[in-house]
Amino acid sequence: MLLQIVSLLVVVLLVALFAWLTWRAWSTRRAVVRWPGTILAGLVTVLLLVVVVVGTLGLVKLRRTHAIALHDATVQASDAQLARGQHLANLCTSCHSINDSLPLNGGDENMASPFGTLYPPNLTPAGPLAGWSDAEVVRAIREGVGKDGRALLIMPSDQFHHMSDDDVRALVAYLRAQPATAHQTPATRFNLLGLLLVGSGLFPSSAQPAITQPVPPAPDGVNPEHGHYLVEISGCQACHGENLTGGTNQFTPKGPNIRAIVPTWTQEQFVRTIRGGADPAGNQLDPDEMPWKSFSAAYSDEELQAIYAYLKSLPAAK
């Protein structure tokens, strides 16, 4: 935080300097200097002033706390709950794992470069979650708020916001049961460019509205309702667009229109595509853009069939 404040203070000094230069240029009697100098120095002053305002807003957003109440979420680590949690944890491996597989020992990619330092933390019992309560972990997963009440960043809480109470407790149970792996990730820091992105809203936080009602599980079985739930917690909209008609998000891979593509396949072809990473035409899926390995590990054949049923049920979209 100190470096961020120093950066903003430096820009404030530059604002004062160019404001003085603007006044000096306006005060001169030489027209050849007065007008060009006033305009140029004035524009720079305004630009630097915008940097100060937007950067300060970004710092305020990062430091702001969110008053989202904790709910009783103490988990009971039964065998069934641990098994379910392990399957769901595979949805997190592309960020929170060094080798894209369990355990979730922390990522090795700076997700904020070149705007600062942001590494997905170690989620095993040797990481920061060791000092968190179960309720605090549940809040972080579904509402995007950390133990200190500040918003998390690049945490897909918008998709996990829909996760049922049973599933989120199962996920927490597995996080607690993982083997402790001593892998430390660098502290999160944003430079001035990062503050500008946050302040302008181009880099939104992960904070979500408070969950005030119980979130029931989706209907089991191969049905569109179950598939819809799985699509939501898988974050398919992040890459394939809000309506699954093609991605436009500049921060994620731009996935194709799966509402037009998947219904042309059979159910068996869809399951084989997720299991093997190649579509029915033989095109290989890039695992860095389409995390098919994570989905394959997370979901049973019946769950993949439910996702297919949901995509098949949607109206056709060109």
Side-chain angles (χ1 to χ4, degrees), residues 140-198:
I141 293 171
R142 296 198 301 188
E143 292 156 298
V145 173
K147 180 180 177 66
D148 57 5
R150 297 194 183 113
L152 303 177
L153 298 168
I154 315 186
M155 169 66 187
S157 297
D158 54 339
Q159 68 189 57
F160 294 146
H161 196 65
H162 307 284
M163 187 174 284
S164 71
D165 295 338
D166 290 345
D167 275 353
V168 74
R169 290 189 180 111
L171 181 55
V172 174
Y174 174 74
L175 295 180
R176 302 295 198 198
Q178 293 179 100
T181 305
H183 173 227
Q184 299 302 317
T185 55
T188 297
R189 293 187 179 90
F190 273 77
N191 56 31
L192 182 58
L193 287 176
L195 292 181
L196 293 177
L197 281 179
V198 174

Side-chain angles (χ1 to χ4, degrees), residues 110 112-117 191 193-194:
N110 183 2
S113 180
F115 308 110
T117 304
N191 56 31
L193 287 176

Side-chain angles (χ1 to χ4, degrees), residues 259-271:
R259 284 176 59 174
I261 295 174
V262 172
T264 66
W265 303 346
T266 66
Q267 182 186 86
E268 292 73 18
Q269 287 174 326
F270 176 74
V271 173

Side-chain angles (χ1 to χ4, degrees), residues 40-206:
L40 180 59
L43 287 175
V44 174
T45 302
V46 171
L47 178 61
L48 291 173
L49 187 59
V50 170
V51 169
V52 171
V53 172
V54 177
T56 302
L57 180 59
L59 183 60
V60 170
K61 286 183 176 180
L62 290 176
R63 304 297 297 178
R64 172 192 172 196
T65 57
H66 297 259
I68 296 180
L70 295 171
H71 301 281
D72 181 20
T74 303
V75 301
Q76 302 296 329
S78 65
D79 290 343
Q81 193 176 53
L82 287 172
R84 176 61 177 167
Q86 181 172 353
H87 279 289
L88 292 171
N90 283 286
L91 298 175
C92 312
T93 55
S94 59
C95 291
H96 287 280
S97 172
I98 295 175
N99 55 2
D100 294 338
S101 62
L102 300 175
L104 302 175
N105 51 11
D108 59 356
E109 178 184 355
N110 183 2
M111 309 291 281
S113 180
F115 308 110
T117 304
L118 179 59
Y119 285 79
N122 179 352
L123 300 183
T124 74
L129 295 189
W132 293 34
S133 69
D134 292 343
E136 287 169 340
V137 180
V138 168
R139 183 178 65 177
I141 293 171
R142 296 198 301 188
E143 292 156 298
V145 173
K147 180 180 177 66
D148 57 5
R150 297 194 183 113
L152 303 177
L153 298 168
I154 315 186
M155 169 66 187
S157 297
D158 54 339
Q159 68 189 57
F160 294 146
H161 196 65
H162 307 284
M163 187 174 284
S164 71
D165 295 338
D166 290 345
D167 275 353
V168 74
R169 290 189 180 111
L171 181 55
V172 174
Y174 174 74
L175 295 180
R176 302 295 198 198
Q178 293 179 100
T181 305
H183 173 227
Q184 299 302 317
T185 55
T188 297
R189 293 187 179 90
F190 273 77
N191 56 31
L192 182 58
L193 287 176
L195 292 181
L196 293 177
L197 281 179
V198 174
S200 63
L202 294 176
F203 197 110
S205 76
S206 298

